[in-house]
Amino acid sequence: MMMPNLKNFLCKSSSMKKSSLLLLLLCLFLSPGYAQEGTFNYKAVEAKIKKYIYSSPDSTRYYIKYALSQKNLPDSIKGTVYNIYGIYYGNTGKTDSSIYYYKKALVSLKNYPRLKPMPLMNISVAYRNKGDYNASFEVLNEALELSKKLKLKTFEATVYSNMSSNYQFMLEYDKAIECLLKGIAILKNEDDNANLVNMNQKLANTYMKMRNFTFAKDLYTECLEIFKANHDIVNHSLTLINYAECVIHLDEVENAKRALKEAIGELQKIKNKEHLAIAYSKLARLDDFEEHDEAAYKNFKAAYTILLKENSLNTVVIGAEFIEFLNAHSKYNEALKVIESTKKTPTFNRVNSEDKLRFDVAAAETYKNTNNNKEALTGLISIVKTKDSIAKANNQNYVNELQAKLQKQLQHEKSLVLKAKNRSLQKEKEIKTKVTLLYVFASIFLSIIVLLFLRSYWLKNRLQNEALKRINAEKNLIEQQQAYEHEYASSQKEVIEEKQRELTSSALRLANYQNNLNEIIEKCERGQFESTNELKKDLISLIKQKDYWKQFETRFNSLHPEFGHTLTNRYSRLTKNDVEFCSLLKLNLSNKEIATLLQISHESAITKKYRIKKKMEINDDAEFEKILTEI
C-alpha cells in the first residue's frame, strides 16, 4: 500500500524540480546583467549559485556551466567557479569529482595566491570525507604554509581548525585541541572576536566529545555571553542546545531544561525548524527522565510534527525516540500512526543504518504488542539485515580505520626518519658552521699573532738598532774621552817626566856644584891657592847664600804636592828628613847621588834607607820602590 504513494510522491517531486529548473532558467535570462543585455554579470550569477547550491543542485550546475561557457573569462573568476563546481559535486556525494574540480580551481588561480586558500581547504575536507587523512593533512600543510607566507592570519587559524576536525574524526582529541588552541591564539592576537568565539565553540564541542563536560560547560558559557552581546541569535540558540546536552551529563537537569526552553524561544523567532525540533526532542527526553509524561509527550509530538513537515533526515531518529516513549506508556495505536507516517517520508530510505535499526526495533516492539505478527516478522528480518549491514560497514570501517592507522603509523615513522635526518643534517650543518667559524677565528687569531710577532720583531729590531746606535755613540764618546784622557795623561806624564828630569838634573847639578865647591875647599886646604883664606871665605859665603836644597824642595813639592803629606799620614813614624830622603828616592836617584846631594857617605845613605824601610815595616826594596812610585 505504501509503495504507490511513495512512487507518486517521487513523481510529483521530479515534476516540481523540472518546473523549478525552468523557472530558474527564465529568471536567469530575464534578470539584468545576463544574456539579454549581451554582457556577463558574474556577481549576479554567483549570487544565484550561492542561493541554490544547497537547495537545488540541478539549478546550481546550470549556472556553473553557464558561467564557464563565457568566452575570455578571467582566471580569477574561472578558478572561483571551478571551486563552486567542486562544492556542487561534494554536496551530491561525488567526492572524487569534487577533488578534480578543486584542483582545476587551483590551476586557474596559480597567479592569484590569495584566492587559493579556499579550494585548498575544500580539497582537505574532501579527502577527510574519503577517510584519507594523510592526503588531507598534506593539503592543509600546503594551505598553512601559504597562509603564513601571505600573512593571512585568519585563514591560518581556519587551517588549524580543519586540522582539528581531522583529528576529531581520527579520535585523537588531544591533537585536535592542540590545533584549536593554536588557532585561538592567532585570532586573539588579531582581535578577531567574531571567528574567535566560533573557534571556542568548536573547542567546547571537542571537550564534550572527550567527556570533559565541566570544561566544555565553561567554554559554552563564555560563547553564550558573547553571542548574546552580539545579538547573534542563530549561534546563541544552537550553542544553547549543545550546552544543554553537556549539563545533562553533569546531572544539571534544571540548567539543561532552562537552556532548551530559551533555545526553543529563539529558534521560533528565527524560524529554524530543524534545530527547534531537536531542542523539543532533548526537552522531551528530560521530561521522560523526570517522569513528566504529559510534558514529554507534548514535546516529542511537537518535535516529530515539525520534522515530518520539513522532510528532515532527523525525522527517523526522532520518530524512533517518540515510538519508544509511546511503547513504554502502552500507546501502541498512536505508535502505529507514527510508524506509518515515518515510513512515508521521502528521507526514510536515506537515513544511516544505525538510525534505521533503532526505528525498526521500536516498530517491531509496537507490532508485537498489537499482535501484528506479519509486520513484526518483517521488522525482525529488516533488523537482521540492518545489523548485518552495520556489521559489514563496521568491519569495513574497521578495515579503513586499520588502514588509516597503518598509513598514519607509516607516515609517523617517515616523519620520525625525516625529523631524525633533518636533525642530523642540522647538527652536521651546525658542526660545519662551528668548524668554519673555528677556522675563521683561528686564522684571525694566527694572523693577529703573526702581526704581533712581526710588530714585536720590528720594534725589537728597531730598539736594538737604536740601542746599537746609542752604544756605538757612547763607545765613540768613550773612545774619544779615553783618547782625550790618554792624550791628556800622556801630556801630563810628559810634563811630569820633563819636570822630574829638570828636577833630577837640578839636583844633580846641585850635587855636582857642591862637589865642585868641596873640591875647591879641599884644594884650598891643601894650599893649592895663593890666598886660600880669602877664597875659602868667599866660597863658604857663596854656599851659605845659595840654599840649593830649599830650592829643590820647593820645586819637588810643586811637582808632587801630596807626596810628603800622604807619606806622613800613612807612616806616622817618619821624620821630615826621612820624607826628604824618600823624595830623592822617588826621583830614582842612586844611593851615591843621594849621599853626594846630602853631603853624607855612601854607607850612610844605605843605612838611612834601611832605617826608613824598618819604620815603614817593609823589607823588600821592590815593594818600597813601588809604594814611593804610586804616591
Side-chain angles (χ1 to χ4, degrees):
M1 294 174 63
M2 290 178 59
M3 295 304 294
N5 293 333
L6 179 60
K7 186 176 181 180
N8 292 335
F9 177 81
L10 291 174
C11 291
K12 289 179 181 178
S13 177
S14 178
S15 300
M16 289 172 63
K17 284 186 177 180
K18 291 179 181 179
S19 301
S20 176
L21 177 58
L22 292 173
L23 181 62
L24 287 172
L25 292 175
L26 182 61
C27 291
L28 174 65
F29 288 101
L30 293 178
S31 297
Y34 286 93
Q36 73 176 44
E37 292 184 2
T39 58
F40 175 66
N41 187 336
Y42 169 71
K43 288 188 176 181
V45 175
E46 184 183 30
K48 293 289 184 180
I49 291 173
K50 288 181 178 179
K51 180 178 179 181
Y52 296 109
I53 191 166
Y54 295 108
S55 59
S56 180
D58 292 336
S59 301
T60 304
R61 187 177 184 184
Y62 170 79
Y63 285 117
I64 291 171
K65 287 189 172 184
Y66 170 74
L68 293 174
S69 67
Q70 301 300 312
K71 294 182 179 180
N72 301 322
L73 192 67
D75 286 342
S76 58
I77 294 178
K78 187 184 294 184
T80 305
V81 176
Y82 278 135
N83 181 60
I84 297 172
Y85 215 167
I87 295 173
Y88 158 78
Y89 277 112
N91 291 340
T92 56
K94 298 178 180 179
T95 308
D96 292 332
S97 297
S98 67
I99 293 173
Y100 170 78
Y101 281 104
Y102 290 143
K103 290 182 177 180
K104 289 196 70 171
L106 289 175
V107 173
S108 298
L109 297 173
K110 63 181 179 180
N111 296 323
Y112 301 91
R114 289 186 171 273
L115 297 178
K116 290 175 66 177
M118 190 52 67
L120 284 172
M121 195 70 66
N122 291 335
I123 291 175
S124 72
V125 173
Y127 279 127
R128 182 173 70 215
N129 293 336
K130 288 184 66 176
D132 191 350
Y133 300 114
N134 290 331
S136 179
F137 275 119
E138 287 181 8
V139 177
L140 286 172
N141 286 328
E142 182 182 351
L144 183 63
E145 184 179 351
L146 180 64
S147 64
K148 288 181 177 180
K149 182 179 179 181
L150 299 176
K151 297 181 180 180
L152 302 174
K153 292 297 183 180
T154 301
F155 181 70
E156 183 181 347
T158 306
V159 173
Y160 282 122
S161 177
N162 276 272
M163 286 183 172
S164 170
S165 298
N166 280 7
Y167 284 123
Q168 286 188 42
F169 276 98
M170 297 165 68
L171 304 181
E172 295 183 18
Y173 294 116
D174 291 338
K175 292 183 179 179
I177 289 174
E178 183 181 349
C179 291
L180 284 172
L181 292 177
K182 287 181 181 179
I184 288 170
I186 293 170
L187 294 175
K188 282 183 178 179
N189 290 333
E190 295 297 308
D191 290 330
D192 190 350
N193 294 324
N195 287 309
L196 180 61
V197 64
N198 293 327
M199 194 80 80
N200 281 327
Q201 183 189 42
K202 193 170 185 178
L203 182 63
N205 294 340
T206 306
Y207 276 115
M208 188 167 70
K209 289 179 181 178
M210 294 175 66
R211 305 191 68 80
N212 189 344
F213 301 115
T214 303
F215 192 51
K217 173 189 173 183
D218 293 338
L219 288 173
Y220 281 134
T221 303
E222 292 179 7
C223 294
L224 287 170
E225 291 177 357
I226 296 172
F227 287 139
K228 192 168 186 177
N230 294 338
H231 304 290
D232 188 350
I233 300 177
V234 175
N235 279 312
H236 185 264
S237 58
L238 299 182
T239 306
L240 281 171
I241 296 173
N242 290 335
Y243 173 82
E245 184 71 25
C246 181
V247 295
I248 286 172
H249 293 280
L250 295 174
D251 295 329
E252 298 180 14
V253 178
E254 291 302 320
N255 279 343
K257 292 177 71 174
R258 186 164 47 252
L260 289 170
K261 288 178 180 179
E262 185 178 356
I264 289 170
E266 292 179 350
L267 291 168
Q268 286 174 339
K269 289 181 180 179
I270 60 175
K271 297 180 180 180
N272 187 330
K273 295 182 179 180
E274 184 84 13
H275 288 92
L276 177 62
I278 293 172
Y280 273 128
S281 68
K282 290 183 182 294
L283 187 59
R285 291 204 305 271
L286 288 177
D287 290 331
D288 185 30
F289 174 77
E290 293 182 327
E291 297 182 355
H292 298 159
D293 298 339
E294 291 184 7
Y297 173 79
K298 178 182 177 182
N299 289 322
F300 268 129
K301 189 172 181 62
Y304 180 74
T305 303
I306 293 171
L307 293 173
L308 198 61
K309 291 179 180 179
E310 294 297 317
N311 292 323
S312 169
L313 287 172
N314 289 315
T315 306
V316 176
V317 66
I318 299 299
E321 292 179 357
F322 192 18
I323 294 167
E324 289 169 354
F325 172 79
L326 294 173
N327 287 338
H329 294 82
S330 302
K331 295 183 178 182
Y332 302 116
N333 292 328
E334 189 168 357
L336 286 172
K337 293 179 181 179
V338 173
I339 293 170
E340 293 300 321
S341 58
T342 303
K343 287 182 177 182
K344 292 178 181 179
T345 60
T347 58
F348 180 74
N349 293 317
R350 290 194 284 126
V351 298
N352 60 63
S353 299
E354 292 181 355
D355 292 345
K356 181 72 163 50
L357 178 62
R358 185 173 183 179
F359 178 84
D360 287 341
V361 170
E365 179 69 17
T366 304
Y367 290 136
K368 185 183 73 171
N369 287 287
T370 56
N371 297 319
N372 194 337
N373 296 327
K374 183 179 178 181
E375 291 294 340
L377 181 60
T378 304
L380 289 173
I381 294 172
S382 177
I383 290 170
V384 172
K385 289 181 179 179
T386 305
K387 283 187 175 181
D388 289 340
S389 176
I390 292 174
K392 289 180 181 179
N394 289 338
N395 186 48
Q396 184 62 39
N397 289 336
Y398 173 75
V399 172
N400 293 337
E401 184 179 353
L402 182 61
Q403 185 178 2
K405 286 183 178 179
L406 290 173
Q407 289 178 349
K408 181 186 175 186
Q409 185 177 1
L410 181 61
Q411 186 66 30
H412 180 66
E413 291 175 356
K414 288 182 179 178
S415 299
L416 291 177
V417 171
L418 185 59
K419 286 180 180 178
K421 187 176 181 180
N422 288 338
R423 284 196 296 268
S424 177
L425 292 173
Q426 185 66 27
K427 287 182 180 179
E428 185 178 348
K429 182 180 178 182
E430 290 176 357
I431 291 171
K432 286 183 179 179
T433 303
K434 289 179 181 178
V435 170
T436 304
L437 291 174
L438 184 62
Y439 281 143
V440 171
F441 287 130
S443 301
I444 294 172
F445 180 74
L446 289 175
S447 300
I448 292 172
I449 294 295
V450 171
L451 290 173
L452 290 175
F453 175 77
L454 292 174
R455 186 174 183 274
S456 175
Y457 178 78
W458 178 76
L459 289 175
K460 184 178 180 180
N461 190 40
R462 182 180 176 185
L463 291 173
Q464 286 178 346
N465 291 334
E466 290 180 355
L468 185 61
K469 289 180 182 179
R470 186 168 61 253
I471 290 171
N472 290 333
E474 291 177 354
K475 182 180 178 182
N476 293 333
L477 181 62
I478 290 171
E479 288 177 353
Q480 291 176 2
Q481 187 175 358
Q482 286 178 348
Y484 174 75
E485 289 177 354
H486 180 70
E487 185 179 354
Y488 179 75
S490 297
S491 63
Q492 286 294 101
K493 185 177 180 182
E494 289 177 359
V495 172
I496 291 171
E497 288 177 352
E498 180 65 27
K499 288 185 178 181
Q500 190 165 334
R501 284 194 296 271
E502 290 178 359
L503 184 59
T504 302
S505 177
S506 176
L508 292 174
R509 285 196 303 271
L510 178 59
N512 187 42
Y513 182 66
Q514 287 181 344
N515 287 334
N516 290 334
L517 288 177
N518 289 332
E519 287 177 359
I520 293 173
I521 293 170
E522 288 178 354
K523 287 179 179 181
C524 288
E525 288 178 347
R526 287 193 301 267
Q528 293 180 355
F529 294 100
E530 295 179 352
S531 61
T532 29
N533 288 332
E534 185 177 356
L535 181 59
K536 182 180 179 179
K537 183 178 179 181
D538 291 339
L539 291 173
I540 291 171
S541 175
L542 180 60
I543 291 172
K544 289 183 179 178
Q545 289 176 1
K546 189 82 170 177
D547 192 353
Y548 290 100
W549 179 254
K550 189 71 175 176
Q551 187 179 11
F552 170 78
E553 184 179 12
T554 301
R555 295 181 68 181
F556 181 83
N557 288 336
S558 65
L559 183 61
H560 303 289
E562 299 296 329
F563 179 78
H565 181 68
T566 303
L567 191 61
T568 302
N569 288 339
R570 286 186 184 182
Y571 308 102
S572 59
R573 294 176 61 190
L574 296 178
T575 62
K576 184 177 179 183
N577 290 331
D578 294 335
V579 174
E580 291 175 353
F581 187 83
C582 290
S583 299
L584 295 173
L585 288 173
K586 185 170 178 63
L587 295 175
N588 294 323
L589 297 177
S590 64
N591 291 334
K592 184 178 179 181
E593 290 172 340
I594 293 172
T596 301
L597 186 59
L598 295 178
Q599 296 296 304
I600 58 176
S601 63
H602 182 261
E603 291 77 7
S604 298
I606 293 172
T607 302
K608 180 73 172 174
K609 183 177 180 181
Y610 173 75
R611 288 175 180 172
I612 290 173
K613 289 193 296 180
K614 190 175 182 180
K615 288 181 180 180
M616 294 173 67
E617 299 179 351
I618 298 172
N619 296 324
D620 189 10
D621 287 342
E623 184 180 357
F624 179 63
E625 290 175 1
K626 181 180 179 183
I627 290 172
L628 294 178
T629 303
E630 290 178 353
I631 296 176

